[in-house]
Amino acid sequence: QVAPGGIIIDAKGTLDRGGLFDFMALTSFRYAWNDFSVGLNWRHLDEIKSAAAASSPNTTIVGPGAYDIFNLNGTYNWGENYSIRAGIDNVFNVDAELTQSNPGVDTDSDVTNAGLYDLLGRRWFVGVKVSF
């Protein structure tokens, strides 16, 4: 409801408040061997309708398609006091999906949601840990 006593809006399957994905998954794989480990994270977000579709089912504003992102990381430990880790976030440099766009109409309404989609693209990281 937008206001008390107003109509009840079914937001299921949309990005409107109270709605969200019918299906999403976060899968992690990790393999360890002696002092070395490697991991792969996969995040899948299913296709979803725009927030506008909750209150106006015939809207021309479309939501994002399915989205898959992979992150790879590894760690090597040597001795009892040293370790190094490295990885790549967004391995395939997947662009963020638009959470609302109106194809064929230039309204500057194309937006995304940084909480759901990666805006930064592919990133590398390296870290060293030393314990005393």
Side-chain angles (χ1 to χ4, degrees):
Q1 290 177 313
V2 176
I7 62 168
I8 296 175
I9 297 172
D10 182 7
K12 182 180 179 201
T14 73
L15 287 172
D16 197 10
R17 289 175 282 147
L20 213 46
F21 299 90
D22 290 331
F23 178 78
M24 57 193 316
L26 177 60
T27 307
S28 295
F29 302 96
R30 177 155 296 283
Y31 179 76
W33 181 58
N34 294 331
D35 292 328
F36 179 75
S37 68
V38 64
L40 177 70
N41 299 323
W42 169 33
R43 185 167 54 105
H44 170 79
L45 302 176
D46 209 8
E47 177 180 312
I48 192 166
K49 295 178 185 173
S50 71
S55 57
S56 180
N58 296 325
T59 185
T60 58
I61 298 173
V62 297
Y67 183 75
D68 293 282
I69 192 166
F70 294 87
N71 301 322
L72 181 66
N73 58 74
T75 303
Y76 178 71
N77 299 306
W78 72 95
E80 291 184 24
N81 300 330
Y82 305 97
S83 68
I84 187 167
R85 62 185 176 85
I88 307 170
D89 289 340
N90 195 351
V91 172
F92 300 111
N93 200 26
V94 177
D95 290 332
E97 288 283 324
L98 295 175
T99 54
Q100 69 177 29
S101 65
N102 202 346
V105 179
D106 186 18
T107 61
D108 291 329
S109 64
D110 296 347
V111 297
T112 191
N113 182 328
L116 297 173
Y117 302 100
D118 182 0
L119 301 179
L120 300 176
R122 182 181 302 126
R123 304 174 297 289
W124 304 77
F125 64 88
V126 175
V128 176
K129 179 180 175 183
V130 178
S131 302
F132 297 97

